[in-house]
Amino acid sequence: MPKQTFFQISKEKQDTLIQAAKEEFSRVPLHEASIANIIKSAGIPRGSFYQYFEDKEDLFYYLTNQLIQRNNERFITILKDKNGDIFEAFIELFQLVIKNQRKQEYKNFFKNVFLNMNYKLENKLADHMYENKKKQYQSILSLINRDQLNIKNEEELKQVVKILRSITSQNFVHVFGQDLTNEEALRTYMAQIELLKKGLYKKEY
């Protein structure tokens, strides 16, 4: 995450650096991104960059965390509107994200994030999300209508959320990897959600 010195510079300078980073991380995946390109676009010395962030990974995680936070805020709003129906909330969030990813300012950045996801990156993002968004996460759990779910306790509820997040993330990967239309993406996602809702084992088993 940013060093304290980053928050001490003007909002204009912060925005300039963030925009330069978005452009670079939209151009290429994280491992190919160049700090030289970022600082050139932002018009700052290399030394200043390291006063604000540890490295390019640190800056990348900050950007992705901003996206995660915004999506969590949207999800909380949607969950309230859906009276705690977690399935309907995930469906609406999925529709919003695939709609927004068509916008050029988001498209390539989302694409590079999801298509170049690996175990290390996924765990790093998950750790950042949990450590820095605990309050949001607890809000989400408290808003879910548990009466609709076949669960026994809080731990099972957390596993349900984890499963739905995993399915949603994988479907985002398919959207970018296969260049699916919104309709194709939603059809596949809905098919998986419906399987989860009805369960996979026949009752006689």
Side-chain angles (χ1 to χ4, degrees):
M1 299 302 289
K3 298 178 181 179
Q4 192 57 41
T5 48
F6 175 73
F7 299 107
Q8 292 172 350
I9 62 177
S10 69
K11 182 67 165 54
E12 182 180 359
K13 288 183 178 179
Q14 289 181 25
D15 290 344
T16 299
L17 177 54
I18 293 304
Q19 184 57 39
K22 284 181 179 177
E23 290 173 0
E24 181 64 7
F25 293 133
S26 295
R27 186 183 68 84
V28 292
L30 171 61
H31 69 278
E32 295 180 20
S34 165
I35 291 177
N37 288 340
I38 295 172
I39 62 176
K40 181 180 179 181
S41 179
I44 62 171
R46 181 175 287 268
S48 294
F49 177 89
Y50 288 108
Q51 287 181 347
Y52 307 144
F53 294 91
E54 291 290 342
D55 47 34
K56 66 180 181 182
E57 286 83 2
D58 195 26
L59 176 52
F60 178 79
Y61 295 139
Y62 177 62
L63 294 182
T64 51
N65 268 311
Q66 286 186 315
L67 287 174
I68 288 170
Q69 182 171 349
R70 283 197 292 271
N71 281 335
N72 280 347
E73 289 169 354
R74 290 172 184 163
F75 187 74
I76 288 171
T77 299
I78 294 168
L79 197 53
K80 290 177 181 177
D81 291 341
K82 299 295 182 181
N83 298 314
D85 190 322
I86 189 173
F87 288 102
E88 290 302 314
F90 265 102
I91 291 167
E92 184 161 328
L93 180 68
F94 182 77
Q95 289 176 296
L96 278 174
V97 173
I98 61 175
K99 181 180 179 181
N100 284 338
Q101 65 89 17
R102 301 293 178 189
K103 298 176 182 178
Q104 198 58 45
E105 61 179 311
Y106 299 115
K107 185 175 182 179
N108 291 333
F109 181 71
F110 280 151
K111 182 176 181 178
N112 284 332
V113 169
F114 285 109
L115 291 187
N116 294 277
M117 189 72 70
N118 56 37
Y119 182 76
K120 179 181 177 182
L121 176 57
E122 190 171 356
N123 277 341
K124 189 77 171 179
L125 291 177
D127 288 344
H128 272 257
M129 180 174 67
Y130 180 72
E131 289 301 323
N132 297 297
K133 310 293 183 293
K134 285 181 181 178
K135 188 174 181 180
Q136 283 186 329
Y137 183 61
Q138 289 302 320
S139 294
I140 289 171
L141 292 180
S142 68
L143 289 168
I144 295 171
N145 185 346
R146 305 182 188 201
D147 294 336
Q148 295 177 318
L149 303 173
N150 183 23
I151 58 171
K152 298 176 183 177
N153 50 44
E154 180 92 353
E155 183 56 36
E156 289 191 352
L157 178 63
K158 291 178 181 178
Q159 293 301 324
V160 169
V161 174
K162 188 174 182 179
I163 289 168
L164 285 168
R165 277 182 167 167
S166 178
I167 289 173
T168 303
S169 178
Q170 283 301 308
N171 274 271
F172 287 144
V173 171
H174 292 155
V175 169
F176 294 108
Q178 301 175 21
D179 197 24
L180 301 179
T181 65
N182 289 6
E183 293 74 20
E184 290 170 332
L186 184 60
R187 185 164 58 248
T188 300
Y189 184 67
M190 287 298 299
Q192 295 174 11
I193 292 295
E194 289 302 319
L195 282 171
L196 280 179
K197 287 170 72 174
K198 74 178 184 179
L200 298 177
Y201 251 18
K202 291 183 178 179
K203 290 184 179 180
E204 56 265 32
Y205 288 91

